[in-house]
Amino acid sequence: MPTVFDKIISGELPATIVHRDARVTAFLDIKPAAPVHILIVPNKAIATVNDIADADAALIGHMIIVARDLARQQKIAEDGYRLIINCNAHGGQEVYHLHLHLLGGRPLGPMVTRT
Ligand code: AMP
């Protein structure tokens, strides 16, 4: 079953795309949690971090390089930002196509709520 992100990558669903290359697509999160909230998504379908192969190491590194460049473009690099990958139920993953959240534009508070 294609995920919503497969459909964005193929152009079947609209999104505000801010970067696209042979390996990744980056677009604005539809429900932003911060003034800057971009999702960096590999073009090939990898469901979760658990499904990353050793051979994907360069692709995963590229996702972070793209996040770094987008942070500079969005002018949040100096103030700082957060990169998040959620995995499976306890991680809060909603879309089962690997994605890196780039969040910034305001102080983001603690990483997780302490219970
Ligand atoms: P996660 O909980 O890490 O799986 O995050 C999924 C993210 O995808 C959430 O922040 C959603 O707001 C976002 N999202 C879901 N559908 C879309 C969409 N059609 N376009 C952009 N972002 C989306």
Side-chain angles (χ1 to χ4, degrees), residues 1 5 9 11 20 32 34-35 44 63 76 90 104-105 109 111 114-115:
M1 275 291 285
F5 292 172
I9 291 161
R20 191 199 289 276
K44 78 167 185 177
M63 289 168 66
I76 60 170
H90 282 196
M111 188 169 64
R114 294 181 194 277
T115 54

Side-chain angles (χ1 to χ4, degrees), residues 26-88:
F27 48 89
L28 302 188
D29 196 291
I30 204 168
K31 215 174 135 192
V36 175
H37 190 168
I38 295 172
L39 303 173
I40 297 114
V41 180
N43 292 339
K44 78 167 185 177
I46 300 171
T48 78
V49 170
N50 293 334
D51 301 296
I52 294 170
D54 290 0
D56 293 324
L59 170 62
I60 304 307
H62 182 62
M63 289 168 66
I64 294 178
I65 295 295
V66 168
R68 175 202 67 188
D69 291 347
L70 287 170
R72 285 183 187 146
Q73 277 176 31
Q74 297 288 324
K75 304 197 186 311
I76 60 170
E78 292 309 315
D79 282 341
Y81 51 90
R82 188 171 293 158
L83 301 178
I84 298 174
I85 300 177
N86 296 320
C87 181
N88 278 344

Side-chain angles (χ1 to χ4, degrees), residues 6-23:
D6 286 304
K7 291 179 183 174
I8 288 172
I9 291 161
S10 71
E12 196 183 324
L13 268 184
T16 304
I17 292 175
V18 294
H19 173 88
R20 191 199 289 276
D21 63 40
R23 290 181 282 176

